[in-house]
Amino acid sequence: MKFVAKLALASIAVGLLVLGLKWAAYLVTGSIALYSDALESVINVATAIAAFLAVRLSAVPPDANHPYGHQKVEYLSAVVEGVLIVVAALAILRKAYFGLMDPHPFSAPLPGLALNVFASLINAAWCFVLMRYGRRHRSPALVADAKHLLSDVITSVGVVAGVILVVLTGWTPLDSIVAALVALNILWWGWSLMRESVGGLMDEAVSNEILSDIRLVISREAEGAIEAHDLRTRTAGPTVFIDFHLVVPGSMSVEESHDICDRIEAALKEEMNHAVITIHVEPEDKAKMGSGVPVL
């Protein structure tokens, strides 16, 4: 987790650099569309700080008050990010409204566009890094930060295109219209982010693909048992919790059934680095033929 925390800390530095470049682009041009892009970068910095704190807190080992660990704090961080994104979108809509009421021509558009494009390239590169390692280390906070940066890159492309059109056509109200479109896009990303994070807080199950892998491992490694049933999963940050009942023959000793459980646990942990497995051993009269996981 130390590596993940370093990435989250680096995001703050990258966010501050990009914010400085985009704010300079707005000051140089006076463009409301570039203002909207700069304001989203303010949120980038705030969410990067939230992600860093979440990653640090989620790495704290389980204690008496939190026996299952602190991983869910990452989902809370992602919810906060979603809320901040929505607030930024509303602020941009307000600015766009007043811009439509009183449009102004640009000043020095080319230097401003150059600064904005350079900042967007930095964001795109860092988004790739965060998404790659966030998924590898199963960090919702880093993935959420990467998705926000991706939305920032996409909106920046639209902003630059809009500002270029304003320069070419001289129609200044388009600047505010582009800013409003940016705000609507940010609202959509913010809603999507909050929806995914709330799913994690509500103990959402793993994806069907991961569930199929879990069932395959159990089926392959449970030789000697009769079946496994009542399989349940949930996720909390990088940790996957797996819970199921393993039916064994009535004549099987405790030691033999324990060996099967150890074998299944080892295989599941090899498949998923962060897994917490709970297996309930039951006698054969508890079997649910046809509804459980068959043993190969």
Side-chain angles (χ1 to χ4, degrees):
M1 276 300 175
K2 289 183 179 180
F3 177 71
V4 175
K6 287 179 179 178
L7 281 177
L9 184 60
S11 284
I12 300 174
V14 173
L16 288 171
L17 173 61
V18 170
L19 170 60
L21 291 170
K22 289 191 174 183
W23 196 254
Y26 159 63
L27 293 177
V28 166
T29 61
S31 166
I32 296 175
L34 291 181
Y35 166 84
S36 69
D37 213 12
L39 188 59
E40 188 175 5
S41 292
V42 174
I43 303 303
N44 284 348
V45 174
T47 53
I49 294 172
F52 172 69
L53 294 175
V55 168
R56 289 293 299 272
L57 288 173
S58 68
V60 175
D63 53 36
N65 291 328
H66 305 89
Y68 291 98
H70 302 77
Q71 295 93 340
K72 282 192 176 183
V73 71
E74 292 201 38
Y75 291 115
L76 287 173
S77 167
V79 170
V80 171
E81 289 187 32
V83 172
L84 290 173
I85 291 171
V86 171
V87 171
L90 295 176
I92 293 168
L93 284 172
R94 179 180 180 276
K95 185 78 171 180
Y97 171 76
F98 287 112
L100 278 174
M101 296 298 100
D102 185 23
H104 293 285
F106 295 156
S107 59
L110 292 181
L113 284 173
L115 286 170
N116 192 274
V117 169
F118 181 53
S120 298
L121 290 174
I122 294 174
N123 261 351
W126 191 243
C127 169
F128 174 78
V129 172
L130 287 181
M131 187 66 76
R132 179 181 180 184
Y133 288 103
R135 286 176 173 170
R136 178 179 296 180
H137 294 275
R138 298 181 58 82
S139 171
L142 287 187
V143 171
D145 205 11
K147 287 182 177 180
H148 185 203
L149 286 181
L150 178 59
S151 74
D152 194 11
V153 172
I154 292 172
T155 53
S156 293
V157 172
V159 165
V160 169
V163 171
I164 291 174
L165 283 175
V166 173
V167 173
L168 293 177
T169 63
W171 191 47
T172 51
L174 180 60
D175 184 41
S176 296
I177 294 172
V178 170
L181 292 174
V182 168
L184 293 176
N185 181 62
I186 293 172
L187 277 173
W188 171 253
W189 280 92
W191 162 251
S192 301
L193 178 57
M194 286 191 288
R195 181 183 175 278
E196 290 179 11
S197 301
V198 168
L201 289 172
M202 295 295 291
D203 288 336
E204 193 170 43
V206 298
S207 66
N208 289 333
E209 181 181 356
I210 295 177
L211 183 60
S212 296
D213 291 340
I214 292 172
R215 292 173 66 90
L216 180 62
V217 170
I218 294 173
S219 180
R220 185 182 68 236
E221 301 297 334
E223 183 181 356
I226 297 173
E227 69 166 25
H229 60 242
D230 293 346
L231 173 61
R232 299 183 300 172
T233 65
R234 66 182 178 91
T235 58
T239 304
V240 176
F241 291 86
I242 304 168
D243 182 327
F244 63 92
H245 294 220
L246 183 70
V247 180
V248 299
S251 59
M252 181 174 286
S253 68
V254 173
E255 184 177 1
E256 289 174 317
S257 62
H258 190 269
D259 288 341
I260 296 174
C261 292
D262 284 347
R263 190 167 65 238
I264 295 172
E265 285 186 32
L268 286 172
K269 288 182 178 179
E270 184 177 350
E271 184 77 18
M272 288 164 285
N273 291 332
H274 302 280
V276 176
I277 302 112
T278 302
I279 304 175
H280 307 270
V281 177
E282 295 183 335
E284 56 189 310
D285 63 328
K286 298 292 184 178
K288 298 180 180 181
M289 295 300 182
S291 63
V293 179
V295 177
L296 296 180

